[in-house]
Amino acid sequence: MIATVSPARDLDQDEVLKLRQEGVILPLEQFIEEALGRYPGSKLLEAELEEKHDVLVYEIELLTADHVVRELKFDARDCRLLQDKEDD
C-alpha cells in the first residue's frame, strides 16, 4: 500500500470568484478584519485561499506591532479559526 500526501493547492482568482459568487465561501475581507482584530496594530502581509484535504482555507499572514509574523488559517466557509501560529 502506498500513502500519498495531498499538498495544499492555491486557488486562482477565477476559482475564488466563482466560489464566492456561489456562496461556498465567505468574503476575504471578513477574514482579514478578523485576523487584524486579533492583533491590533498589525499589518497584512499576505492572504490566499488554499484547498487542503478538500477543505477551503484562507491563510492570512500578519506582521504584528511587536514585529512578529503570525500565520492564521480560517475555514473559508464559516470563519472558524483553524490555526494561529508564529511563522518561521
XYZ file of all heavy atoms in Angstrom:
714
model
N 0.846 -1.175 0.000
C 0.000 0.000 0.000
C 0.892 1.238 0.000
O 1.833 1.344 0.768
C -0.879 -0.017 1.252
C -1.822 1.129 1.326
S -2.953 0.820 2.700
C -3.478 2.450 2.988
N 0.573 2.206 -0.853
C 1.347 3.431 -0.948
C 0.518 4.581 -0.400
O -0.630 4.770 -0.792
C 1.730 3.718 -2.417
C 2.599 2.583 -2.946
C 2.426 5.056 -2.537
C 2.908 2.693 -4.411
N 1.109 5.332 0.516
C 0.433 6.512 1.059
C 0.783 7.709 0.200
O 1.931 7.890 -0.186
C 0.880 6.755 2.499
N -0.214 8.513 -0.106
C 0.042 9.716 -0.876
C -0.226 10.931 -0.003
O -1.123 10.917 0.828
C -0.848 9.782 -2.130
O -2.205 9.755 -1.732
C -0.553 8.635 -3.067
N 0.550 11.946 -0.213
C 0.378 13.193 0.515
C -0.339 14.162 -0.400
O 0.040 14.340 -1.557
C 1.748 13.769 0.938
C 1.583 15.104 1.613
C 2.468 12.786 1.841
N -1.380 14.775 0.129
C -2.135 15.736 -0.654
C -1.677 17.145 -0.285
O -2.048 17.671 0.745
C -3.627 15.578 -0.342
O -4.362 16.584 -0.980
N -0.817 17.737 -1.120
C -0.327 19.070 -0.789
C -1.440 20.108 -0.936
O -2.431 19.881 -1.619
C 0.769 19.307 -1.827
C 0.401 18.437 -2.974
C -0.312 17.253 -2.381
N -1.241 21.238 -0.284
C -2.204 22.327 -0.418
C -2.145 22.854 -1.842
O -1.093 22.904 -2.462
C -1.878 23.421 0.580
N -3.292 23.251 -2.337
C -3.375 23.795 -3.691
C -3.903 25.215 -3.595
O -4.955 25.456 -3.015
C -4.318 22.937 -4.528
C -4.500 23.427 -5.945
C -5.407 22.510 -6.734
N -6.811 22.657 -6.411
C -7.631 23.542 -6.981
N -7.188 24.380 -7.895
N -8.905 23.608 -6.644
N -3.137 26.179 -4.110
C -3.595 27.558 -4.159
C -4.633 27.673 -5.271
O -4.436 27.148 -6.368
C -2.439 28.521 -4.447
C -1.443 28.582 -3.300
O -1.808 28.210 -2.169
O -0.303 28.994 -3.542
N -5.707 28.385 -4.989
C -6.741 28.593 -5.995
C -6.471 29.898 -6.724
O -6.021 30.869 -6.125
C -8.119 28.640 -5.334
C -8.710 27.268 -4.981
C -8.035 26.685 -3.769
C -10.189 27.363 -4.785
N -6.755 29.918 -8.033
C -6.557 31.161 -8.777
C -7.768 32.070 -8.585
O -8.799 31.668 -8.060
C -6.240 30.897 -10.251
C -7.406 30.305 -11.036
O -8.573 30.690 -10.786
O -7.158 29.473 -11.919
N -7.636 33.321 -9.018
C -8.675 34.303 -8.736
C -10.007 33.964 -9.395
O -11.061 34.292 -8.857
C -8.219 35.712 -9.107
C -7.940 35.923 -10.572
C -7.291 37.263 -10.825
O -6.161 37.486 -10.446
N -8.002 38.158 -11.466
N -10.002 33.301 -10.537
C -11.260 32.912 -11.182
C -12.001 31.869 -10.337
O -13.222 31.928 -10.185
C -11.007 32.362 -12.589
C -10.526 33.440 -13.559
O -10.848 34.628 -13.344
O -9.819 33.094 -14.527
N -11.247 30.909 -9.804
C -11.859 29.894 -8.941
C -12.433 30.530 -7.677
O -13.534 30.190 -7.248
C -10.830 28.837 -8.534
C -10.378 27.931 -9.662
C -9.274 26.992 -9.218
O -8.160 27.480 -8.915
O -9.541 25.779 -9.156
N -11.679 31.458 -7.096
C -12.122 32.128 -5.868
C -13.398 32.922 -6.144
O -14.361 32.844 -5.374
C -11.014 33.045 -5.311
C -11.520 33.852 -4.130
C -9.790 32.227 -4.913
N -13.413 33.665 -7.235
C -14.589 34.461 -7.589
C -15.819 33.576 -7.770
O -16.904 33.883 -7.267
C -14.324 35.272 -8.856
C -15.474 36.152 -9.340
C -15.862 37.177 -8.273
C -15.094 36.855 -10.638
N -15.652 32.458 -8.434
C -16.772 31.534 -8.662
C -17.300 30.983 -7.331
O -18.506 30.937 -7.097
C -16.325 30.396 -9.572
C -17.421 29.430 -9.929
C -16.951 28.400 -10.950
C -18.090 27.526 -11.385
N -17.992 26.162 -10.918
N -16.397 30.569 -6.456
C -16.809 30.046 -5.146
C -17.535 31.111 -4.325
O -18.514 30.826 -3.630
C -15.598 29.521 -4.374
C -14.952 28.261 -4.919
C -13.600 28.023 -4.259
C -15.869 27.060 -4.725
N -17.057 32.345 -4.410
C -17.685 33.453 -3.676
C -19.072 33.734 -4.229
O -20.032 33.900 -3.486
C -16.775 34.696 -3.774
C -17.301 35.905 -3.081
C -17.358 35.708 -1.561
N -18.176 36.741 -0.994
C -19.389 36.558 -0.495
N -19.925 35.363 -0.439
N -20.086 37.562 -0.020
N -19.198 33.782 -5.547
C -20.491 34.059 -6.179
C -21.505 32.961 -5.885
O -22.697 33.225 -5.762
C -20.323 34.228 -7.688
C -19.632 35.518 -8.057
C -19.310 35.610 -9.551
O -19.184 34.604 -10.247
N -19.148 36.830 -10.024
N -21.036 31.731 -5.751
C -21.922 30.597 -5.456
C -22.260 30.512 -3.965
O -23.044 29.660 -3.561
C -21.266 29.294 -5.914
C -21.141 29.190 -7.421
C -20.355 27.974 -7.876
O -19.724 27.290 -7.037
O -20.358 27.712 -9.094
N -21.622 31.351 -3.146
C -21.895 31.340 -1.715
C -21.208 30.218 -0.964
O -21.553 29.915 0.175
N -20.220 29.594 -1.596
C -19.500 28.483 -0.962
C -18.560 29.010 0.114
O -18.390 28.391 1.163
C -18.714 27.670 -2.022
C -17.859 26.594 -1.364
C -19.678 27.049 -3.033
N -17.935 30.165 -0.159
C -17.003 30.752 0.800
C -17.463 32.163 1.172
O -18.197 32.805 0.421
C -15.563 30.810 0.235
C -15.510 31.631 -1.042
C -15.012 29.405 0.028
C -14.118 31.895 -1.578
N -17.002 32.621 2.322
C -17.287 33.975 2.781
C -16.263 34.939 2.175
O -15.195 34.512 1.727
C -17.228 34.018 4.307
C -18.284 33.164 5.021
C -17.987 33.073 6.509
C -19.672 33.708 4.774
N -16.560 36.249 2.185
C -15.625 37.209 1.577
C -14.300 37.315 2.329
O -14.267 37.296 3.562
C -16.373 38.535 1.632
C -17.624 38.311 2.383
C -17.769 36.865 2.665
N -13.226 37.443 1.585
C -11.890 37.551 2.145
C -11.800 38.689 3.158
O -11.146 38.564 4.191
C -10.872 37.762 1.018
C -9.436 38.041 1.440
C -8.867 36.893 2.271
C -8.570 38.322 0.232
N -12.451 39.813 2.874
C -12.390 40.978 3.765
C -12.810 40.627 5.188
O -12.253 41.149 6.160
C -13.285 42.118 3.231
C -12.839 42.677 1.901
C -13.233 41.816 0.699
O -14.084 40.906 0.831
O -12.667 42.031 -0.384
N -13.769 39.750 5.322
C -14.245 39.326 6.639
C -13.124 38.642 7.432
O -12.960 38.865 8.619
C -15.436 38.379 6.459
C -16.085 37.940 7.737
C -17.341 37.127 7.462
O -17.971 37.241 6.412
N -17.699 36.289 8.411
N -12.327 37.856 6.754
C -11.235 37.129 7.407
C -10.078 38.062 7.750
O -9.451 37.916 8.792
C -10.764 35.986 6.507
C -11.830 34.960 6.289
C -12.718 35.076 5.238
C -11.969 33.897 7.165
C -13.721 34.141 5.046
C -12.971 32.954 6.980
C -13.851 33.078 5.926
N -9.824 39.009 6.858
C -8.769 39.979 7.136
C -9.126 40.805 8.363
O -8.290 41.007 9.252
C -8.506 40.874 5.899
C -7.894 40.036 4.773
C -7.605 42.054 6.261
C -7.778 40.756 3.445
N -10.372 41.266 8.443
C -10.819 42.031 9.612
C -10.696 41.207 10.887
O -10.253 41.706 11.923
C -12.271 42.474 9.427
C -12.445 43.596 8.442
C -13.902 43.969 8.250
O -14.734 43.723 9.145
O -14.213 44.514 7.171
N -11.077 39.941 10.821
C -10.988 39.044 11.988
C -9.535 38.888 12.428
O -9.216 38.972 13.613
C -11.595 37.684 11.644
C -11.441 36.631 12.704
C -12.288 36.868 13.941
O -13.319 37.557 13.840
O -11.903 36.352 15.014
N -8.642 38.665 11.482
C -7.225 38.471 11.803
C -6.620 39.748 12.391
O -5.926 39.706 13.416
C -6.460 38.040 10.552
N -6.881 40.898 11.759
C -6.347 42.162 12.253
C -6.919 42.506 13.625
O -6.235 43.101 14.458
C -6.626 43.290 11.251
C -5.871 43.209 9.925
C -6.382 44.273 8.958
C -4.375 43.343 10.126
N -8.166 42.117 13.875
C -8.790 42.363 15.170
C -8.142 41.571 16.296
O -8.142 42.001 17.452
N -7.577 40.442 15.968
C -6.889 39.623 16.978
C -5.548 40.221 17.373
O -5.048 39.964 18.458
C -6.669 38.200 16.449
C -7.934 37.406 16.341
C -7.669 36.030 15.732
N -8.864 35.243 15.777
C -9.224 34.485 16.799
N -8.450 34.392 17.851
N -10.349 33.800 16.766
N -4.953 40.998 16.453
C -3.633 41.586 16.691
C -3.672 43.072 16.324
O -3.234 43.462 15.241
C -2.551 40.846 15.887
C -2.392 39.419 16.335
C -3.050 38.378 15.684
C -1.625 39.113 17.449
C -2.933 37.075 16.117
C -1.501 37.804 17.895
C -2.161 36.795 17.225
O -2.050 35.508 17.668
N -4.226 43.905 17.222
C -4.323 45.348 16.935
C -2.960 45.941 16.588
O -1.939 45.589 17.184
C -4.856 45.928 18.244
C -5.573 44.787 18.903
C -4.786 43.558 18.520
N -2.961 46.819 15.595
C -1.723 47.461 15.162
C -0.919 46.638 14.178
O 0.148 47.051 13.737
N -1.435 45.457 13.817
C -0.702 44.605 12.878
C -0.949 45.040 11.439
O -1.867 45.798 11.147
C -1.088 43.138 13.070
O -2.465 42.960 12.833
N -0.106 44.553 10.535
C -0.216 44.850 9.111
C -0.359 43.546 8.328
O 0.293 42.558 8.646
C 1.034 45.594 8.632
C 1.195 46.968 9.261
C 2.357 47.687 8.648
C 2.626 49.068 9.176
N 1.836 49.653 10.159
N -1.213 43.590 7.337
C -1.428 42.431 6.476
C -0.225 42.243 5.559
O 0.210 43.176 4.896
C -2.693 42.638 5.638
C -3.021 41.552 4.633
C -3.364 40.244 5.344
C -4.158 41.991 3.734
N 0.331 41.045 5.547
C 1.435 40.719 4.645
C 0.949 39.950 3.425
O 1.379 40.201 2.310
C 2.501 39.888 5.373
C 3.223 40.550 6.532
C 4.184 39.562 7.187
C 3.975 41.786 6.053
N 0.063 38.980 3.656
C -0.382 38.113 2.559
C -1.698 37.456 2.935
O -1.945 37.163 4.103
C 0.675 37.039 2.303
C 0.375 36.126 1.157
C 1.468 35.091 0.922
O 2.353 34.905 1.772
O 1.411 34.452 -0.134
N -2.520 37.223 1.926
C -3.765 36.494 2.118
C -3.999 35.634 0.885
O -3.842 36.106 -0.237
C -4.932 37.457 2.323
N -4.326 34.358 1.115
C -4.590 33.476 -0.016
C -5.593 32.405 0.390
O -5.764 32.110 1.563
C -3.309 32.841 -0.533
C -2.612 31.942 0.454
C -1.276 31.421 -0.064
O -0.842 31.808 -1.159
O -0.660 30.618 0.645
N -6.237 31.862 -0.616
C -7.183 30.767 -0.418
C -6.532 29.495 -0.915
O -6.017 29.442 -2.035
C -8.483 31.031 -1.178
C -9.567 29.983 -1.028
C -10.071 29.901 0.408
C -10.733 30.279 -1.966
N -6.523 28.481 -0.061
C -5.949 27.173 -0.411
C -7.007 26.095 -0.244
O -7.941 26.252 0.541
C -4.813 26.794 0.533
C -3.609 27.657 0.508
C -2.553 27.129 1.471
O -2.886 26.522 2.502
O -1.386 27.354 1.177
N -6.817 25.031 -0.968
C -7.619 23.830 -0.760
C -6.679 22.763 -0.223
O -5.679 22.424 -0.854
C -8.251 23.363 -2.067
C -9.140 22.167 -1.891
C -9.797 21.740 -3.183
O -9.222 21.984 -4.269
O -10.870 21.154 -3.109
N -6.980 22.292 0.977
C -6.122 21.286 1.604
C -7.022 20.209 2.191
O -7.877 20.502 3.013
C -5.260 21.941 2.691
C -4.205 21.034 3.255
C -3.216 21.815 4.086
C -2.066 20.912 4.445
N -0.974 21.626 5.070
N -6.822 18.982 1.751
C -7.646 17.850 2.204
C -9.129 18.149 2.008
O -9.944 17.932 2.900
C -7.352 17.501 3.659
C -5.905 17.264 3.943
N -5.202 16.208 3.409
C -5.013 17.963 4.683
C -3.949 16.256 3.831
N -3.808 17.310 4.588
N -9.469 18.698 0.845
C -10.847 19.025 0.474
C -11.486 20.092 1.366
O -12.703 20.196 1.418
C -11.729 17.771 0.454
C -11.278 16.780 -0.611
O -10.835 17.230 -1.685
O -11.352 15.565 -0.365
N -10.677 20.868 2.072
C -11.184 21.972 2.891
C -10.621 23.268 2.313
O -9.429 23.366 2.037
C -10.753 21.819 4.372
C -11.213 23.010 5.200
C -11.286 20.524 4.952
N -11.498 24.254 2.130
C -11.065 25.554 1.638
C -10.635 26.397 2.830
O -11.400 26.601 3.763
C -12.198 26.234 0.873
C -12.600 25.506 -0.413
C -13.909 26.038 -0.956
C -11.498 25.625 -1.450
N -9.392 26.875 2.777
C -8.783 27.562 3.920
C -8.200 28.902 3.470
O -7.434 28.954 2.509
C -7.650 26.692 4.525
C -6.932 27.428 5.644
C -8.197 25.366 5.017
N -8.593 29.966 4.180
C -7.936 31.255 3.977
C -6.717 31.289 4.887
O -6.827 31.039 6.084
C -8.846 32.424 4.353
C -9.783 32.861 3.266
C -11.157 32.784 3.428
C -9.300 33.387 2.065
C -12.024 33.209 2.439
C -10.167 33.804 1.063
C -11.522 33.722 1.264
O -12.372 34.135 0.284
N -5.568 31.581 4.309
C -4.334 31.721 5.075
C -3.965 33.199 5.070
O -3.784 33.805 4.020
C -3.228 30.901 4.429
C -1.944 30.899 5.207
C -0.892 30.029 4.548
O -1.124 28.813 4.422
O 0.145 30.588 4.152
N -3.896 33.775 6.263
C -3.615 35.200 6.432
C -2.288 35.337 7.179
O -2.119 34.745 8.244
C -4.722 35.896 7.260
C -6.120 35.537 6.760
C -4.471 37.397 7.343
C -6.558 36.190 5.512
N -1.362 36.106 6.626
C -0.094 36.383 7.311
C -0.078 37.843 7.725
O -0.382 38.728 6.923
C 1.101 36.101 6.403
C 1.435 34.653 6.298
C 2.763 34.402 5.609
O 3.543 35.346 5.395
O 3.015 33.232 5.276
N 0.268 38.069 8.991
C 0.326 39.407 9.555
C 1.696 39.682 10.138
O 2.373 38.764 10.599
C -0.680 39.545 10.713
C -2.143 39.272 10.468
C -2.909 39.372 11.774
C -2.698 40.223 9.442
N 2.060 40.950 10.170
C 3.206 41.411 10.936
C 2.630 42.171 12.118
O 1.967 43.201 11.933
C 4.111 42.317 10.098
C 5.323 42.888 10.822
C 6.264 41.768 11.276
C 6.050 43.885 9.936
N 2.825 41.645 13.315
C 2.235 42.261 14.500
C 2.990 43.526 14.882
O 4.089 43.796 14.392
C 2.231 41.301 15.705
O 3.584 41.090 16.119
C 1.564 39.973 15.359
N 2.399 44.290 15.785
C 3.028 45.512 16.282
C 4.358 45.197 16.967
O 5.231 46.058 17.055
C 2.083 46.232 17.244
N 4.522 43.965 17.450
C 5.768 43.518 18.090
C 6.766 42.957 17.074
O 7.742 42.325 17.455
C 5.472 42.434 19.134
C 4.583 42.935 20.250
O 4.589 44.151 20.518
O 3.878 42.110 20.849
N 6.470 43.127 15.769
C 7.336 42.669 14.673
C 7.476 41.151 14.626
O 8.550 40.621 14.337
C 8.713 43.340 14.731
C 8.617 44.836 14.715
N 8.260 45.531 13.593
C 8.785 45.750 15.693
C 8.228 46.816 13.875
N 8.535 46.980 15.144
N 6.382 40.474 14.925
C 6.324 39.018 14.828
C 5.389 38.674 13.673
O 4.309 39.248 13.548
C 5.787 38.400 16.144
C 5.582 36.903 16.000
C 6.714 38.720 17.305
N 5.819 37.755 12.813
C 4.961 37.306 11.716
C 4.080 36.174 12.233
O 4.568 35.190 12.790
C 5.794 36.835 10.501
C 4.888 36.286 9.407
C 6.640 37.976 9.965
N 2.771 36.339 12.074
C 1.806 35.331 12.503
C 1.074 34.799 11.284
O 0.782 35.549 10.352
C 0.784 35.913 13.475
C 1.436 36.552 14.654
C 1.044 36.083 16.008
N 0.480 34.806 16.229
C 1.032 33.890 17.023
N 2.205 34.094 17.585
N 0.421 32.760 17.260
N 0.794 33.520 11.298
C 0.034 32.873 10.233
C -1.267 32.353 10.845
O -1.242 31.561 11.781
C 0.837 31.715 9.653
C 0.123 30.993 8.553
C 0.960 29.853 8.013
O 0.854 28.740 8.572
O 1.724 30.079 7.071
N -2.372 32.851 10.319
C -3.685 32.424 10.789
C -4.381 31.700 9.649
O -4.327 32.150 8.494
C -4.530 33.624 11.225
C -4.049 34.355 12.474
C -3.012 35.399 12.119
C -5.207 34.991 13.183
N -5.030 30.596 9.974
C -5.780 29.841 8.972
C -7.230 29.740 9.435
O -7.496 29.400 10.588
C -5.185 28.447 8.782
C -3.804 28.493 8.172
C -3.258 27.118 7.882
C -1.883 27.238 7.239
N -1.354 25.959 6.822
N -8.129 30.055 8.501
C -9.563 30.038 8.779
C -10.274 29.132 7.780
O -9.907 29.096 6.604
C -10.158 31.442 8.604
C -9.663 32.467 9.577
C -8.570 33.263 9.271
C -10.302 32.661 10.788
C -8.119 34.229 10.151
C -9.870 33.623 11.675
C -8.776 34.410 11.359
N -11.308 28.457 8.245
C -12.187 27.719 7.338
C -12.933 28.761 6.514
O -13.622 29.619 7.085
C -13.157 26.847 8.136
C -13.975 25.942 7.259
O -14.529 26.426 6.243
O -14.113 24.755 7.592
N -12.804 28.732 5.215
C -13.377 29.755 4.334
C -14.902 29.703 4.276
O -15.529 30.648 3.818
C -12.803 29.609 2.926
N -15.490 28.628 4.760
C -16.944 28.502 4.708
C -17.639 29.144 5.902
O -18.758 29.617 5.787
C -17.352 27.029 4.631
C -16.868 26.346 3.361
C -17.000 24.864 3.460
N -16.181 24.434 4.606
C -16.198 23.244 5.137
N -16.994 22.326 4.662
N -15.419 22.932 6.149
N -16.970 29.152 7.070
C -17.677 29.615 8.273
C -16.856 30.522 9.189
O -17.288 30.855 10.279
C -18.195 28.417 9.069
C -17.092 27.474 9.517
O -15.907 27.853 9.493
O -17.416 26.336 9.892
N -15.653 30.914 8.769
C -14.782 31.837 9.504
C -14.233 31.230 10.795
O -13.744 31.936 11.663
C -15.510 33.156 9.798
S -14.403 34.566 9.995
N -14.287 29.913 10.915
C -13.749 29.238 12.104
C -12.224 29.268 12.045
O -11.626 28.904 11.039
C -14.270 27.802 12.129
C -13.909 26.996 13.351
C -14.699 25.682 13.358
N -14.898 25.117 12.033
C -14.163 24.131 11.521
N -13.204 23.591 12.219
N -14.426 23.677 10.308
N -11.597 29.706 13.147
C -10.140 29.742 13.213
C -9.620 28.321 13.359
O -9.994 27.598 14.276
C -9.687 30.595 14.409
C -8.181 30.736 14.583
C -7.541 31.467 13.411
C -7.874 31.452 15.899
N -8.755 27.916 12.440
C -8.197 26.575 12.447
C -6.790 26.553 13.054
O -6.390 25.560 13.647
C -8.129 26.014 11.019
C -9.454 25.963 10.257
C -9.209 25.555 8.812
C -10.411 25.006 10.946
N -6.067 27.664 12.871
C -4.684 27.705 13.357
C -4.247 29.147 13.509
O -4.618 30.008 12.705
C -3.771 26.987 12.370
C -2.332 26.878 12.801
C -1.512 26.108 11.786
O -1.459 26.477 10.621
N -0.877 25.034 12.218
N -3.466 29.406 14.535
C -2.859 30.708 14.769
C -1.473 30.424 15.333
O -1.353 29.955 16.450
C -3.703 31.529 15.742
C -3.118 32.914 16.038
O -1.988 33.204 15.595
O -3.801 33.688 16.724
N -0.453 30.676 14.521
C 0.897 30.345 14.981
C 1.887 31.397 14.519
O 1.643 32.138 13.568
C 1.325 28.977 14.474
C 1.552 28.917 12.979
C 2.111 27.575 12.544
C 2.536 27.648 11.081
N 3.317 26.527 10.671
N 3.014 31.436 15.204
C 4.107 32.296 14.789
C 4.741 31.635 13.578
O 5.021 30.436 13.581
C 5.119 32.438 15.931
C 6.198 33.445 15.654
C 7.078 33.692 16.868
O 6.584 33.664 18.001
O 8.282 33.918 16.639
N 4.950 32.440 12.529
C 5.527 31.906 11.304
C 7.038 31.990 11.365
O 7.598 32.901 11.952
C 5.005 32.691 10.094
C 5.141 31.924 8.795
O 5.321 30.696 8.822
O 5.074 32.568 7.729
N 7.697 31.011 10.775
C 9.163 30.971 10.779
C 9.746 31.985 9.825
O 9.346 32.184 8.767
C 9.666 29.576 10.388
C 9.114 28.509 11.324
O 8.747 28.856 12.454
O 9.049 27.331 10.907
